[in-house]
Amino acid sequence: MHVPFCPSICPYCDFHVLTRRAGMVEAYLARLEQEAAELVGQYDVQLDTVYVGGGTPSFLRDAEITQLARSVQRHLGWGGVENTLEINPGTVSADRAALWRDLGFTRASVGVQSLHDPTLKFLGRTHDAQQARRAVQTLTAADFRVSGDLITAVPGQPLEADIHGLVDLGVGHVSAYTLTIEPGTEFARRGVTVQEDDERAGFERTEELLSARGFTRYEISNYALPGQESRHNLAYWYGRTYLGLGPGAAGHYPAPAGRGLLTTRRTNPHLHDWLTGAAGEALPVDAVEYVTDALFMGLRLREGVDLRALSARSGVDVAARYADVIERNVRRGLLTLHGAQLRATPDGWWVLNRVVAEFLDEDS
């Protein structure tokens, strides 16, 4: 579920977000319930996981987040394995953490970003380091499984202190993303740049530091203690089906019976069109596109992609179809192939978009 509202817009953010306006949240919640009812009429829904992201879902008032959760539970049920709420540290209190747990959330994804006040100020965050520490401690005490987000390659950031400080707070999962300057953002308008050497250093040093603290890098940007992996996000990387609710939310749906397709994909329109009832166009995913999607997502994982299993699911002989691409990138040290298991190396992860582009070029 996508909650698009934020207290302010960070200068690096290029997501579909906006500050709240009179009547907008009420209209959003009413449309969300309508969309949930529409989806349950189309699919046999048994949810394993729920992920409420943003925006800043924890920016919703107590009555609003309660209405959101109850609407979904009424129509679609709730995840039997894991239910995640994205949380801004400045919105946390013991009472609110207890409410979120009572609503059925079990995992908290906290936008810490840094534990260094000058770095937080540069990033335009509305919380300070002390609020971030208190938020993680409060959520841990409320029996949440806590994941902390970090942004790396920020000028002047004390990366080692940020990582050690976050781990010392007791998180079981860390998502670490390199600062990227996207077109149209405030940072882009200001001419802020990130040096590639700093990006690469942050990318590699983050793994060194977290590995030394017992975390496994199970996906390019995600690290977990044993058993603390994000079960919801693994569904994306494994190519499973999922529903998308809210403006801009994406869904990956089973294909209609008898159509000869594997899946369909739909991305909802932005808020104003979505509020009118507009739905994104359902785009058919044929066997070849299914394979390239699976390679793009699966190679992000440490375990990589089982080509034999992917061939069985898709009906495409993946190893034969892409033999030249695979062989070329194995020679370059960007991929490894052991039996049917295709994996990206650390160097391959760094240039994964380029590697996947070669698979796409093979089909053009």
Side-chain angles (χ1 to χ4, degrees):
M1 273 171 284
H2 178 216
V3 180
F5 306 105
C6 280
S8 63
I9 310 302
C10 297
Y12 56 84
C13 180
D14 72 334
F15 296 146
H16 173 37
V17 296
L18 66 162
T19 54
R20 72 182 293 154
R21 299 164 192 167
M24 193 69 77
V25 175
E26 292 82 356
Y28 162 84
L29 290 169
R31 174 68 184 117
L32 191 77
E33 175 148 20
Q34 181 185 27
E35 186 174 36
E38 292 166 356
L39 284 172
V40 78
Q42 299 172 41
Y43 300 99
D44 178 19
V45 178
Q46 292 183 325
L47 297 177
D48 291 323
T49 64
V50 170
Y51 194 105
V52 181
T56 309
S58 67
F59 180 51
L60 294 178
R61 296 165 183 156
D62 289 353
E64 294 165 346
I65 191 69
T66 298
Q67 183 179 341
L68 178 148
R70 297 302 185 221
S71 292
V72 174
Q73 290 162 355
R74 183 161 46 249
H75 295 286
L76 298 169
W78 204 241
V81 175
E82 175 189 276
N83 301 294
T84 302
L85 180 67
E86 286 189 353
I87 294 172
N88 181 293
T91 64
V92 178
S93 68
D95 287 345
R96 300 203 81 207
L99 170 67
W100 298 331
R101 284 291 283 135
D102 288 344
L103 290 174
F105 291 102
T106 58
R107 183 174 180 273
S109 179
V110 186
V112 174
Q113 314 309 1
S114 176
L115 292 170
H116 180 237
D117 282 333
T119 298
L120 290 170
K121 184 176 181 180
F122 173 79
L123 292 172
R125 302 296 291 175
T126 57
H127 68 274
D128 60 25
Q130 187 56 35
Q131 284 178 303
R133 292 187 183 93
R134 281 200 303 266
V136 172
Q137 291 166 338
T138 299
L139 292 161
T140 301
D143 200 30
F144 278 91
R145 291 174 61 188
V146 180
S147 173
D149 284 1
L150 285 178
I151 295 179
T152 67
V154 182
Q157 175 190 24
L159 181 61
E160 294 192 15
D162 272 353
I163 289 174
H164 288 308
L166 187 57
V167 173
D168 288 344
L169 288 170
V171 302
H173 187 282
V174 176
S175 296
Y177 304 102
T178 300
L179 177 63
T180 303
I181 310 303
E182 300 289 355
T185 62
E186 178 62 26
F187 272 170
R189 289 190 288 273
R190 283 195 231 158
V192 174
T193 59
V194 180
Q195 300 301 313
E196 184 174 347
D197 287 349
D198 293 337
E199 292 182 57
R200 186 70 183 259
F203 186 78
E204 294 174 350
R205 187 65 177 140
T206 297
E207 180 172 29
E208 292 173 6
L209 293 166
L210 285 170
S211 295
R213 298 298 299 271
F215 286 72
T216 296
R217 186 184 209 166
Y218 71 100
E219 191 268 348
I220 286 182
S221 301
N222 287 275
Y223 304 77
L225 294 175
Q228 295 279 331
E229 296 85 0
S230 170
R231 296 289 294 276
H232 182 87
N233 288 343
L234 280 169
Y236 301 145
W237 300 319
Y238 286 148
R240 294 175 181 156
T241 54
Y242 50 90
L243 306 177
L245 285 84
H252 190 199
Y253 300 90
R259 293 285 299 276
L261 303 170
L262 292 167
T263 58
T264 60
R265 186 186 302 113
R266 189 179 75 217
T267 301
N268 283 346
H270 282 194
L271 182 65
H272 296 289
D273 289 334
W274 177 79
L275 286 174
T276 67
E281 181 184 1
L283 300 175
V285 178
D286 63 21
V288 171
E289 188 176 5
Y290 179 87
V291 166
T292 52
D293 283 352
L295 291 168
F296 175 68
M297 299 302 285
L299 288 173
R300 295 179 62 89
L301 290 168
R302 184 185 191 90
E303 67 192 67
V305 179
D306 184 330
L307 299 184
R308 190 177 295 114
L310 179 56
S311 296
R313 293 199 307 272
S314 65
V316 175
D317 187 337
V318 181
R321 185 181 184 92
Y322 299 106
D324 290 345
V325 176
I326 292 170
E327 181 183 355
R328 183 165 62 246
N329 282 285
V330 167
R331 286 201 312 269
R332 293 170 175 164
L334 303 179
L335 297 175
T336 64
L337 182 63
H338 297 290
Q341 200 69 24
L342 184 69
R343 297 182 178 91
T345 66
D347 285 340
W349 264 349
W350 179 244
V351 292
L352 186 59
N353 286 345
R354 193 184 82 197
V355 173
V356 172
E358 294 188 29
F359 286 94
L360 294 172
D361 289 344
E362 195 75 7
D363 295 321
S364 61

